[in-house]
Structure formats: structure tokens, C-alpha cells
Amino acid sequence: EVQLVESGGVVVQPGGSLRLSCAASGFTFDDYAMHWVRQAPGKGLEWVSLISWDGGSTYYADSVKGRFTISRDNSKNSLYLQMNSLRAEDTALYYCAKDIKKWGYSYDLDYWGQGTLVTVSS
Amino acid sequence: QSVLTQPPSVSAAPGQKVTISCSGSSSNIGNNYVSWYQQLPGTAPKLLIYENNKRPSGIPDRFSGSKSGTSATLGITGLQTGDEADYYCGTWDSSLSANYVFGTGTKVTVL
């Protein structure tokens, strides 16, 4: 059974930093690209970032480019999101999600975690 | 503000059919595949449709997807109370700031 479990969400002050983690199991982690998607309270979905299966390629939404860094450790079946210079508008539930395509990426996300809540507030 | 526009809500009685539209442009839907997600209250999104009309394993054929020009449509037949949820379309947008984008979301209510 595929499982994705996010952690690391907390309350942080504006301008602060935070690192989210996502522990994956139930599939061959290093065969698939992984994504972060967020959802502000009561709002819709916003794609945040993608990392390729081998970590060699990364992509970001304009809203987080230059502030967030996605990474992965295939030896630990783990995905990360380093978040710097946090703003109030970054407040959201952050989901990690698996791409459906093996050894590539399609942005079709077939498994999602339950999310971890990041609140940016003074 | 999303570049993909969906109706805020649709509703129908159990057993009936609903369709949800997703309107975009040539920089997104017009030249890229569309996916659809279902988000039940308090849960993570679930992939219903990918590559315009393909269903992942385990998704019933009551759910269908189609695309024409710069619009896409999700259809749900044999509506059930368990289908009450928010539904989002998604696709790649190749405009100046290339990004993956989700639609504005549609709340389906079973009367």
C-alpha cells in the first residue's frame, strides 16, 4: 500500500524558515517524480514544486521561486521542502504527492499524503 | 486567481448526472492534457481522470472526462451521496510564467 506521511508543519513568524518532510513507502520511491501542493484554509489547490525521480531536475511555482527548495533522499525514501522567507500568504496545508509516471513526470498525482499545516503568523 | 475557470457549484438528485466545466485558453487546456481531482470533505485530493479521459485503476466508470478546444468537462453519472465533494481540474500552463495550474474548484451537492 502506498503511503505518504508529511511532517514539520508548525506556526512560524513572517520571515522565518521551515523544513517539511514526506516519508514514502509502498512503492519504489526512486522511480517516481514527487510534488508539493498546498491549499490555503478554505481555498483551492496550488501546485508548489516538482522534483524528478533522480533529483536532477526541479521546478517551482512563481509564488515560491527563490524562497523554497525541494529535495529528496532516495536512500531514505524521503522528500523535503525547505521554506525560507516565509510570508503570511504561505499559510496552507502542504501535501506531498506522487507523480503517476515512472522515470519521468506528467503532473498527474495518483497518491497524496494527508498534509501538514504551516501557519505563518506573528 | 486561477487561469482555469470552473462553476462554483453544481447539484443534482441521486442517480442523476452532473457535468463540470473547466474553461481555459490555448496556453493551457488547448495544448495540454487535463486531469481531474476529487476532494472529499477533510481529506486529500484523489486523482479521478488523467490525460483528458483516462481513469486510474479503482475509479468507477461513472466518472468520465473529455476535452474540446480550450475547455474540458468532467461527467459524473449515477450520482451518489458519497460524490459530494470539491472537484478540481488541472493542466500545464505554458504562458510567460510556466506553471502547473488547478482550476477554481466546483462543489458538487447531491440533493
Side-chain angles (χ1 to χ4, degrees):
Chain A
E1 179 195 4
V2 172
Q3 282 200 317
L4 298 170
V5 180
E6 303 93 337
S7 61
V10 291
V11 178
V12 61
Q13 292 191 337
S17 297
L18 198 57
R19 188 197 200 203
L20 305 184
S21 300
C22 172
S25 61
F27 66 103
T28 306
F29 183 70
D30 54 10
D31 280 352
Y32 294 92
M34 296 294 295
H35 301 249
W36 287 99
V37 176
R38 68 184 181 184
Q39 186 169 33
K43 302 297 183 181
L45 302 172
E46 181 185 14
W47 174 81
V48 173
S49 185
L50 151 72
I51 186 166
S52 59
W53 57 275
D54 61 354
S57 298
T58 57
Y59 302 91
Y60 299 92
D62 283 352
S63 56
V64 306
K65 202 173 292 182
R67 299 188 300 122
F68 290 10
T69 302
I70 191 172
S71 62
R72 64 191 295 161
D73 185 337
N74 286 345
S75 68
K76 295 182 178 178
N77 286 354
S78 293
L79 174 72
Y80 306 101
L81 187 68
Q82 177 66 42
M83 309 164 67
N84 298 331
S85 303
L86 282 161
R87 306 166 180 166
E89 53 265 35
D90 296 319
T91 294
L93 188 63
Y94 283 75
Y95 295 102
C96 73
K98 171 188 166 292
D99 200 288
I100 201 171
K101 190 171 183 178
K102 197 172 185 180
W103 301 324
Y105 45 88
S106 66
Y107 291 86
D108 297 316
L109 310 178
D110 59 349
Y111 288 95
W112 298 59
Q114 286 307 301
T116 187
L117 182 62
V118 173
T119 303
V120 184
S121 174
S122 54
Chain B
Q1 192 80 354
S2 176
V3 296
L4 303 180
T5 303
Q6 299 179 231
S9 63
V10 297
S11 61
Q16 297 300 303
K17 175 181 178 178
V18 295
T19 59
I20 300 170
S21 60
C22 177
S23 178
S25 68
S26 58
S27 68
N28 41 68
I29 292 177
N31 285 285
N32 295 286
Y33 285 127
V34 177
S35 304
W36 289 92
Y37 295 86
Q38 175 195 61
Q39 188 175 30
L40 297 169
T43 70
K46 177 181 181 181
L47 181 64
L48 288 180
I49 299 290
Y50 67 103
E51 293 183 6
N52 299 337
N53 55 20
K54 296 181 181 178
R55 282 177 285 106
S57 64
I59 301 301
D61 59 8
R62 299 189 299 108
F63 296 92
S64 63
S66 63
K67 189 183 97 166
S68 178
T70 58
S71 292
T73 301
L74 175 71
I76 310 174
T77 59
L79 202 61
Q80 302 175 0
T81 55
D83 296 333
E84 277 209 347
D86 293 321
Y87 292 80
Y88 295 92
C89 58
T91 188
W92 179 256
D93 185 278
S94 50
S95 60
L96 193 60
S97 53
N99 270 326
Y100 188 83
V101 290
F102 289 100
T104 50
T106 298
K107 170 70 177 177
V108 170
T109 300
V110 181
L111 300 173

